[in-house]
Amino acid sequence: MQEFKISNEIKNLDLNYIKDNLFFYKYDNKNLTLLYDENKNLKEESYESAAYHSFKGEVFENIIYEHLLRYAKENENITSFVLKGPHQNKNNIFKKNGLLIDKGAQIVYKSVYKDISEFDALFFTKDSIYFVEMSKSKKTAGLNKRLFKKSALLKILFPNLQIKALIVLTEGSTGISRFPDYCTIWITKDFNDDKLLKDLIFKNTNHGKLIKYTEEKYIEAINVNYKKFSYFQTLEWILLKSRSHKTHAVDLNFFRTYKLSLYFDVFTKLYIGYIQIKDFKQIVPYKESIKENRVIVTIEKINQKKFAIVYYVRHTNYKLKRVFFLDDKLQVEDKDPEGFTNKETRFIAKIFKPEHRLLIKNINNISKKLQEGIITSM
């Protein structure tokens, strides 16, 4: 699929018409200056530092975004283009829910101040919405994996539009043939403009005014019309619906629908109930002290082919652990105290009622069905 062709300007990362605008983006200048010595020369060890690579990727993204603004202006097939960075209205950064611009001036979908997904750029055609991902990393496996969540979220928000992606990579990137069919791939020359990076950090150039895009097709994120998606209320609905079957403890057929396949891509895990500690410890050899007499049970999408039972255990010190079996070996992972999973588990724990308890026989039956492939990706 190549509805949009890359221009020579973009392919060659031509800065002639966009360079001044790059100085209006926010950068962590204070910390980035530490990468240089007192004579403002890049330290030898800084070339391969994570901070320098991250900054280089950030600038690459801004270069492509500025080019896309120009590209959209000339392309009649692009009907709307979402503004971000220095181009968007600063009054719109304080919203807490929905599609919006965050405090970092990025396009995000938020729920209760938490980012569900971020998009490097968004634009519309007559019948489609394109999300844009830009990366100068040569390895693309991680980027490819992230597309599932972004695509699924947009399918929920825009059910009447085709969801497509524009992926912008640099020469030498691997795994290009593995991207989904809905992706258009653009390849640019490699980005190694150390002088530009230095100028941006130290503001070495007398740049002009911001070139603005005021045509009607350039829009604010908060003005985009989409179907409402309530993150936590959806998790609650899935729990209640999956446990409402007259004869089955958990209605696994409910999880086999197209709609639920999208939710698996957005949430990764869906909550199906809890198990008491005494039952949990018969299934899992777990010795740590658990805060309450219940362990949260989820069905989790491990990868595009595998679904499995995963437990979430809150210790007496309030730390949350992800507990699961991988190749019959017990795995225990720490969860971020400020992350979404912590918020989800606290929310879902308040929803639980006695009838949401799962027995050992229920867990064993669900695990067996999952291993047999009762749930598949769509």
Side-chain angles (χ1 to χ4, degrees):
M1 183 195 72
Q2 287 290 337
E3 184 175 354
F4 297 104
K5 304 289 186 182
I6 188 171
S7 68
N8 286 329
E9 276 187 2
I10 298 174
K11 184 183 294 184
N12 295 314
L13 301 180
D14 190 334
L15 300 179
N16 284 333
Y17 298 102
I18 67 164
K19 185 175 180 179
D20 283 353
N21 274 14
L22 298 176
F23 287 85
F24 290 89
Y25 287 83
K26 290 183 178 180
Y27 305 106
D28 187 10
N29 297 65
K30 183 177 180 180
N31 289 319
L32 288 169
T33 55
L34 300 177
L35 299 173
Y36 295 78
D37 61 24
E38 58 187 13
N39 296 317
K40 295 185 179 180
N41 294 315
L42 189 65
K43 298 174 184 176
E44 187 174 345
E45 63 269 22
S46 295
Y47 277 101
E48 298 303 323
S49 69
Y52 195 63
H53 276 282
S54 177
F55 176 54
K56 191 183 292 187
E58 188 179 350
V59 174
F60 175 74
E61 179 183 324
N62 294 341
I63 289 172
I64 299 301
Y65 183 79
E66 286 294 327
H67 272 301
L68 285 174
L69 285 166
R70 286 171 49 80
Y71 188 93
K73 189 173 184 177
E74 303 299 327
N75 195 300
E76 294 180 355
N77 291 325
I78 297 176
T79 57
S80 299
F81 191 98
V82 179
L83 296 171
K84 73 168 190 177
H87 300 281
Q88 50 89 32
N89 188 332
K90 300 294 190 297
N91 294 325
N92 294 332
I93 65 173
F94 301 107
K95 309 292 183 182
K96 70 175 183 177
N97 287 305
L99 189 66
L100 48 86
I101 300 294
D102 68 1
K103 291 182 179 179
Q106 299 298 313
I107 303 168
V108 298
Y109 191 87
K110 278 183 179 287
S111 179
V112 197
Y113 293 110
K114 283 286 186 180
D115 291 3
I116 296 176
S117 202
E118 178 182 317
F119 304 96
D120 292 344
L122 283 176
F123 62 86
F124 295 83
T125 64
K126 182 175 65 175
D127 60 0
S128 304
I129 178 172
Y130 279 78
F131 67 99
V132 184
E133 292 298 306
M134 316 160 190
S135 176
K136 61 177 296 299
S137 172
K138 304 305 179 188
K139 297 179 181 179
T140 60
L143 170 60
N144 205 332
K145 186 177 180 181
R146 292 194 298 273
L147 297 184
F148 290 104
K149 180 176 182 178
K150 295 173 188 282
S151 174
L153 177 60
L154 291 176
K155 286 176 182 177
I156 294 169
L157 299 179
F158 302 95
N160 297 321
L161 293 178
Q162 296 182 54
I163 309 303
K164 300 179 182 180
L166 173 61
I167 312 298
V168 187
L169 306 170
T170 58
E171 293 172 340
S173 297
T174 61
I176 293 174
S177 62
R178 298 190 184 97
F179 280 95
D181 292 340
Y182 61 79
C183 295
T184 294
I185 310 296
W186 284 359
I187 305 295
T188 75
K189 75 173 188 179
D190 221 345
F191 176 59
N192 289 303
D193 195 335
D194 293 323
K195 183 181 184 305
L196 172 64
L197 299 178
K198 181 178 177 179
D199 288 343
L200 291 171
I201 292 171
F202 293 101
K203 304 289 186 182
N204 286 342
T205 302
N206 292 322
H207 55 79
K209 293 182 178 180
L210 177 72
I211 299 173
K212 296 182 179 181
Y213 294 84
T214 58
E215 288 81 359
E216 188 176 352
K217 70 165 58 178
Y218 297 101
I219 60 175
E220 299 282 340
I222 63 167
N223 293 330
V224 175
N225 293 318
Y226 54 88
K227 185 178 180 181
K228 185 179 179 182
F229 169 57
S230 299
Y231 190 91
F232 290 100
Q233 287 78 1
T234 300
L235 282 177
E236 178 181 1
W237 173 77
I238 292 170
L239 168 68
L240 299 180
K241 186 72 174 176
S242 68
R243 299 303 304 274
S244 63
H245 197 276
K246 292 181 179 179
T247 56
H248 298 299
V250 177
D251 183 4
L252 293 179
N253 285 324
F254 168 66
F255 293 102
R256 301 177 67 184
T257 63
Y258 171 74
K259 187 174 186 178
L260 267 292
S261 74
L262 295 180
Y263 288 143
F264 268 117
D265 281 334
V266 171
F267 295 108
T268 304
K269 58 189 174 300
L270 299 177
Y271 297 85
I272 59 172
Y274 68 89
I275 187 170
Q276 291 187 345
I277 292 176
K278 63 180 179 64
D279 293 337
F280 174 68
K281 290 190 174 182
Q282 288 188 52
I283 301 172
V284 180
Y286 204 77
K287 298 180 180 179
E288 301 293 335
S289 298
I290 300 174
K291 183 176 182 295
E292 297 176 350
N293 187 26
R294 60 188 182 191
V295 170
I296 293 174
V297 184
T298 71
I299 296 176
E300 187 161 322
K301 185 175 183 178
I302 307 301
N303 53 47
Q304 286 304 109
K305 296 182 179 180
K306 183 179 179 181
F307 293 79
I309 291 286
V310 174
Y311 305 95
Y312 287 88
V313 183
R314 193 170 297 281
H315 289 185
T316 50
N317 62 4
Y318 292 93
K319 290 184 178 180
L320 185 67
K321 305 289 182 177
R322 177 175 180 257
V323 181
F324 61 103
F325 286 98
L326 180 63
D327 298 327
D328 296 325
K329 293 182 179 179
L330 182 65
Q331 308 288 323
V332 180
E333 297 177 352
D334 295 330
K335 298 305 296 183
D336 181 358
E338 301 301 321
F340 249 114
T341 299
N342 250 293
K343 286 187 176 295
E344 289 176 6
T345 51
R346 286 193 176 97
F347 171 81
I348 214 74
K350 295 177 182 178
I351 307 299
F352 284 151
K353 295 180 179 178
E355 57 264 32
H356 295 135
R357 178 189 173 189
L358 291 165
L359 304 176
I360 294 175
K361 64 179 182 180
N362 303 139
I363 298 292
N364 290 338
N365 181 57
I366 294 168
S367 295
K368 181 174 180 291
K369 293 288 187 181
L370 292 176
Q371 289 173 2
E372 292 171 352
I374 190 171
I375 302 175
T376 57
S377 298
M378 293 186 180

